Amino acid sequence: MLKKKWGQHLLIAKGVIKKLVESMEIREGEVVIEIGPGTGNLTEEILKTPLKKLYLLEIDPEMIEILKEKFKSEKVIILQTDATQFDFSSLKESNLKVVGNLPYNVASLIIENTVYYKNFIPYAFYMVQKEVAERLTTTASWLAIFVQTFYKLSYLMSVPPRFFIPPPKVQSAFIKFERKNEVSLKDLKSYKTFLLKIFHQKRKMLKQKISEEILIEAQIAPTKRVEELSLEDFLKLYEIFKISN
Ligand code: SAH
């Protein structure tokens, strides 16, 4: 019944589920979205909190049937949808707490999509492959920079394979995204294009991808490589790049 193509690994450890939900600190009146609820193990625990409304975004029609059977509360709204492309603005809610034991094959896409809707999502909590979690907290990929520009990331806990059915081949980690307030950057598609451009062929020097004038104006040595830049460097560089393009 569990489908590999949709990354279905259900969390079964009650203790872990409890901890994950506790770490979300859901208060009275909050609106929560769960991505990939599956059979609803995490959902049940989330529903013990004093939330106002819980949206469930699930792609698998079989899971949708199970969820409808299980959760008849008026607080629960079940949507059959692809979370990699979900339009979070469509809910007309602006302070969403998003959580999910994500399907690992599309976790990066779901994270990228979360950032596009950052104005609606002050907090997100995702279970991802441990390696993905670790990479996201470094400056090693365009997505890591993209995320960290808008969110402060924290690593909440590691979760070993035995807590899932079927156990995934990799270690997992639960991470928290907390939106930063001060960021004024608006055109996210253009920012992504810029990041892809500098992360393309990582071993090349920056001057082979971006004009030396821009690099010098941003006070970055043109012979540096992308791995040597800090988050602040990226932001400074983008500001200047944006104006001159
Ligand atoms: N949260 C559940 C199940 C996690 S498994 C638990 O912890 O027990 C991942 C879930 O995401 C599955 O239910 C799968 O059907 C769903 N899923 C996979 N791809 C999806 C997508 N693109 N959009 C929404 N849900 C998806």
Side-chain angles (χ1 to χ4, degrees):
M1 189 195 77
L2 289 176
K3 303 182 191 72
K4 210 173 167 178
K5 71 165 170 175
W6 280 324
Q8 295 178 346
H9 295 275
L10 309 182
L11 250 180
I12 46 164
K14 288 237 153 50
V16 175
I17 293 174
K18 255 197 158 63
K19 265 200 191 163
L20 299 188
V21 175
E22 266 169 26
S23 71
M24 292 178 64
E25 303 181 315
I26 299 171
R27 304 271 175 259
E28 197 165 333
E30 289 191 346
V31 179
V32 177
I33 298 198
E34 186 186 356
I35 295 180
T39 55
N41 293 347
L42 197 58
T43 318
E44 272 177 41
E45 189 66 29
I46 296 172
L47 279 172
K48 293 181 185 162
T49 69
L51 51 68
K52 181 171 83 178
K53 220 187 273 181
L54 173 61
Y55 291 91
L56 304 178
L57 312 185
E58 173 59 59
I59 201 167
D60 181 350
E62 275 185 44
M63 293 298 186
I64 293 279
E65 288 314 309
I66 295 172
L67 295 166
K68 279 187 179 158
E69 205 37 56
K70 221 168 169 176
F71 303 108
K72 300 204 157 135
S73 153
E74 288 190 352
K75 290 182 179 175
V76 181
I77 297 162
I78 302 171
L79 303 174
Q80 186 180 359
T81 182
D82 179 348
T84 63
Q85 307 196 30
F86 184 69
D87 175 3
F88 287 91
S89 71
S90 66
L91 305 177
K92 312 280 180 246
E93 310 268 8
S94 54
N95 270 310
L96 300 166
K97 240 176 208 178
V98 182
V99 62
N101 167 21
L102 298 185
Y104 294 172
N105 49 349
V106 290
S108 295
L109 294 176
I110 291 174
I111 291 170
E112 182 182 340
N113 192 51
T114 306
V115 176
Y116 293 131
Y117 293 99
K118 63 183 173 51
N119 293 345
F120 305 89
I121 308 176
Y123 294 96
F125 299 80
Y126 291 145
M127 180 82 77
V128 295
Q129 222 176 295
K130 186 170 185 177
E131 197 194 310
V132 170
E134 283 167 355
R135 276 175 64 86
L136 274 181
T137 52
T138 65
T139 54
S141 72
W142 82 269
L143 185 59
I145 301 298
F146 194 60
V147 169
Q148 290 171 46
T149 300
F150 305 101
Y151 287 95
K152 176 174 156 310
L153 284 185
S154 28
Y155 190 102
L156 298 185
M157 65 190 281
S158 304
V159 184
R162 67 172 187 279
F163 292 138
F164 300 83
I165 283 183
K169 292 206 176 67
V170 292
Q171 296 285 328
S172 301
F174 194 58
I175 50 178
K176 173 178 176 180
F177 298 64
E178 189 176 358
R179 194 175 61 203
K180 298 177 178 175
N181 296 319
E182 69 279 15
V183 192
S184 65
L185 207 156
K186 295 269 179 314
D187 185 349
L188 298 201
K189 293 281 177 189
S190 134
Y191 186 46
K192 175 184 176 178
T193 308
F194 161 79
L195 291 177
L196 286 175
K197 186 181 166 89
I198 24 182
F199 273 96
H200 183 68
Q201 298 191 315
K202 280 192 178 182
R203 313 201 39 196
K204 285 199 169 163
M205 286 183 263
L206 292 169
K207 67 177 182 183
Q208 291 167 287
K209 312 178 203 185
I210 293 208
S211 91
E212 285 199 45
E213 272 176 16
I214 293 179
L215 290 161
I216 289 165
E217 196 180 335
Q219 297 174 312
I220 295 168
T223 51
K224 275 197 171 171
R225 291 179 173 78
V226 68
E227 301 102 326
E228 299 172 82
L229 300 183
S230 66
L231 180 60
E232 290 65 37
D233 288 335
F234 284 101
L235 291 173
K236 206 161 44 164
L237 196 54
Y238 179 64
E239 280 307 308
I240 298 165
F241 177 84
K242 193 175 66 181
I243 295 164
S244 51
N245 269 273

